[in-house]
């Protein structure tokens, strides 16, 4: 996608702030090696529309190659949904493991517990760009006071909606959760060829705002340990609100129960849905779809009219594996991939929100599509329990299973939530 003039201006400003990423001598890796030549392997996440990301990464690698003669970098783009299995295998087999990985911020605690990520605290603190990192983003790479990566982008979700459909049907942007649900069903009734609001039974982070907006939570913390709260009355109210959207009057369960977040965004971009809950990181995929020029974005409404539902404070990080035999090179590549220059280019290409506060302020000022996401961040975001257990809960699909059992009619909300709570508590107990 060709950058706009405003985007080019942003990138130029960032370039002025960006200094050379010359590597410092890094600490020894567990392998006892710190080779300065050879091949580095990188795993990054596959996006819905991956071409723009690949072009940004290729530019980073070109600069890295010029700075480090005798090195080669291979990049593999892996599906987000299968990351748990791939990364676990890499931790268990250093010979086939990458040197640098992109990982979700919900994975940090689990990966550190598993001994997979290198402690890069000294490297990060010595990095001149690190001082402008959003404190919340820094927290996402920090466990017990030590830093295990560099924030790559921050992600929050909002409501994408079809302006042409809304105008034709005389609809206003939903101002409350109840209005969102009723609007979705009105659209489906008038346009049975469309999902009113595309939802997915495997879309955990699209569902959680409904739980949080109704006063529910995933878990409560006490004395350093967690107890599931997904079966509380408030959480069950949010679960009912979300699962009420699965049916022939909005998004048929037979088609939508198995849909992931990427699936819902793909449906919206393809013109099959009038609304979808998508991230700032979904912008490029939507722009590349059939709805280009026929959509807008607004914050996802909360329960009270005019309120904003709490969004998951998502985002990804770039980390170095402890098993690398190229630690100095890997740390330098981590910084280049997560630099202000790269984050500015990813915003230009993909709409990823930068983790650097100064870069994000300029992005918001220059591009209107960012405003709903910045407003969502300002309204207050939520996070998953900061426990190594979350990786197990997430990878074992505890919450998607709960939603899918409900929408398939296999269990009532109370029973499904109770089962999910027991599974979560088993994981919390095992994590200590």
């Amino acid at each position: 996608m060709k950058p706009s003039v405003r985007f080019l201006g942003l990138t130029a400003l960032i370039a002025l702030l960006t200094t050379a990423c010359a590597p410092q001598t890094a600490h020894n890796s567990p392998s006892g090696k710190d080779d300065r030549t050879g091949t580095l392997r990188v795993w990054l996440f596959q996006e819905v529309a991956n071409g723009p990301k690949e072009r940004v990464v290729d530019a980073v690698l070109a600069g890295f190659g010029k700075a480090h003669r005798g090195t080669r970098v291979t990049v593999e783009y892996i599906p987000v949904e299968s990351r748990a299995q791939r990364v676990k295998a890499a931790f268990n087999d250093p010979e086939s493991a990458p040197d640098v990985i992109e990982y979700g911020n919900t994975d940090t605690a689990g990966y550190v517990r598993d001994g997979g990520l290198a402690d890069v605290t000294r490297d990060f603190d010595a990095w001149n760009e690190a001082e402008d990192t959003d404190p919340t983003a820094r927290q996402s790479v920090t466990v017990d006071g030590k830093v295990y990566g560099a924030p790559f982008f921050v992600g929050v979700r909002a409501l994408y909606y079809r302006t042409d459909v809304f105008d034709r049907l005389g609809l206003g942007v939903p101002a409350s959760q109840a209005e969102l649900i009723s609007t979705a069903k009105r659209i489906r009734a008038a346009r049975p060829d469309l999902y009113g609001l595309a939802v997915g039974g495997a879309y955990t982070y699209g569902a959680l705002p409904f739980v949080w907006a109704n006063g529910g939570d995933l878990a409560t913390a006490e004395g350093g340990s967690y107890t599931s709260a997904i079966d509380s009355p408030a959480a069950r109210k949010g679960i009912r609100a979300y699962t009420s959207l699965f049916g022939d009057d909005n998004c048929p369960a037979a088609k939508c129960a198995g849909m992931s977040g990427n699936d819902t965004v793909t449906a919206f971009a393809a013109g099959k849905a009038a609304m979808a809950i998508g991230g700032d990181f979904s912008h490029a995929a939507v722009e590349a779809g059939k709805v280009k020029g026929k959509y807008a974005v607004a914050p996802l409404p909360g329960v009270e009219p005019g309120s904003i539902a709490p969004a998951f404070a998502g985002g990804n990080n770039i980390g170095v594996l402890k098993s690398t035999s190229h630690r100095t090179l890997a740390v330098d590549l981590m910084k280049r991939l997560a630099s202000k220059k790269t984050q500015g280019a990813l915003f230009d290409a993909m709409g990823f929100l930068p983790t650097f506060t100064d870069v994000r302020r300029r992005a918001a000022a220059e591009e209107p599509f960012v405003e709903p996401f910045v407003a969502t961040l300002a309204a207050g975001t939520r996070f998953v329990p900061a426990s190594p257990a979350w990786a197990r809960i997430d990878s074992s699909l505890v919450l998607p299973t709960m939603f899918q059992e409900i929408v398939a009619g296999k269990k009532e909300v109370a029973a499904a939530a109770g089962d999910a709570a027991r599974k979560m508590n088993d994981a919390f107990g095992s994590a200590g």
Side-chain angles (χ1 to χ4, degrees):
M1 183 173 69
K2 185 177 179 180
S4 68
V5 173
R6 284 179 293 177
F7 282 161
L8 290 171
L10 172 65
T11 303
L13 283 169
I14 293 168
L16 291 174
L17 293 171
T18 306
T19 57
C21 300
Q24 301 176 359
T25 300
H27 318 305
N28 290 332
S29 70
S31 67
K33 297 181 180 179
D34 189 15
D35 297 335
R36 308 302 175 92
T37 59
T39 299
L40 275 76
R41 289 176 288 190
V42 178
W43 286 359
L44 300 176
F45 289 153
Q46 177 86 30
E47 308 297 334
V48 176
N50 209 55
K53 183 176 184 177
E54 292 179 30
R55 289 190 285 274
V56 172
V57 172
D58 287 347
V60 173
L61 299 186
F64 180 83
K66 289 180 181 178
H68 302 288
R69 301 297 181 184
T71 62
R72 178 172 176 263
V73 180
T74 63
V75 180
E76 182 179 355
Y77 291 91
I78 66 173
V80 175
E81 292 80 6
S82 63
R83 73 188 187 281
Q85 294 79 12
R86 293 290 303 273
V87 173
K88 182 178 180 180
F91 290 170
N92 291 331
D93 182 15
E95 291 298 318
S96 64
D99 300 275
V100 177
I101 62 169
E102 178 180 357
Y103 66 93
N105 60 10
T106 60
D107 298 324
T108 307
Y111 288 177
V112 171
R113 180 202 58 186
D114 293 342
L117 293 175
D119 176 357
V120 295
T121 307
R122 287 171 57 185
D123 309 283
F124 189 82
D125 288 343
W127 186 23
N128 64 336
E129 294 190 356
E131 64 182 7
D132 292 321
T133 301
D134 183 321
T136 302
R138 177 171 177 133
Q139 183 182 359
S140 77
V141 294
T142 303
V143 177
D144 295 332
K146 296 180 179 179
V147 177
Y148 292 91
F152 191 36
F153 67 87
V154 60
V156 291
R157 292 167 174 83
L159 182 68
Y160 284 75
Y161 65 97
R162 289 273 299 274
T163 51
D164 58 334
V165 174
F166 272 60
D167 290 345
R168 191 171 299 122
L169 298 179
L171 300 172
V173 180
S176 68
Q177 191 174 94
E179 193 174 319
L180 173 68
I181 294 170
S182 65
T183 299
K185 294 181 178 182
R186 284 182 62 187
I187 293 170
R188 177 71 173 180
R191 291 284 305 273
D193 57 315
L194 297 175
Y195 303 137
L197 171 63
V199 289
Y203 192 6
T204 299
Y205 298 115
L208 287 180
F210 290 78
V211 174
W212 289 324
N214 280 279
D217 211 340
L218 287 168
T220 57
E222 185 174 352
S225 62
Y226 287 90
T227 302
S228 177
I230 198 64
D231 59 343
S232 70
R236 292 201 303 266
K237 187 176 181 181
I239 294 167
R240 286 191 187 92
Y242 184 68
T243 55
S244 73
L245 288 159
F246 292 82
D248 291 340
D249 58 353
N250 176 56
C251 201
K255 293 183 178 180
C256 302
M259 285 169 57
S260 65
N262 280 355
D263 293 331
T264 64
V265 171
T266 298
F268 181 81
K272 297 178 181 178
M275 294 184 287
I277 301 168
D280 51 275
F281 44 86
S282 306
H283 182 248
V286 176
E287 278 289 291
K290 293 183 178 179
V291 299
K292 179 180 175 65
K294 298 184 289 187
Y295 74 94
V297 184
L300 187 69
V303 172
E304 296 299 320
S307 66
I308 297 175
F312 167 64
N316 290 350
N317 304 321
I318 300 290
V320 172
L321 263 66
K322 188 183 290 186
S323 60
T324 182
S325 59
H326 300 87
R327 193 184 190 285
T328 295
L329 291 173
V331 168
D332 183 45
L333 184 54
M334 174 192 76
K335 292 179 182 179
R336 289 171 182 266
L337 286 168
S339 70
K340 291 185 177 183
K341 181 178 181 180
T342 304
Q343 290 194 24
L346 282 169
F347 172 78
D348 289 358
M350 304 288 291
F352 289 0
L353 282 178
T355 65
F356 297 102
T357 54
D358 54 339
V359 181
R360 191 160 69 216
R361 280 195 300 269
R362 284 191 296 277
E366 294 184 15
E367 183 49 53
F369 97 82
V370 177
E371 293 175 3
F373 302 103
V374 173
T376 300
L377 283 168
T381 54
R382 303 288 287 274
F383 198 58
V384 299
S387 166
W390 183 255
R392 173 180 163 186
I393 293 167
D394 192 28
S395 64
S396 57
L397 306 177
V398 172
L399 296 181
T401 297
M402 176 189 70
F403 291 124
Q404 289 166 348
E405 288 175 338
I406 294 168
V407 302
K410 295 180 179 179
K411 292 180 182 177
E412 297 295 327
V413 170
D419 288 347
R422 283 188 285 276
K423 293 174 185 177
M424 291 175 70
N425 286 331
D426 286 345
F428 289 136
S430 298

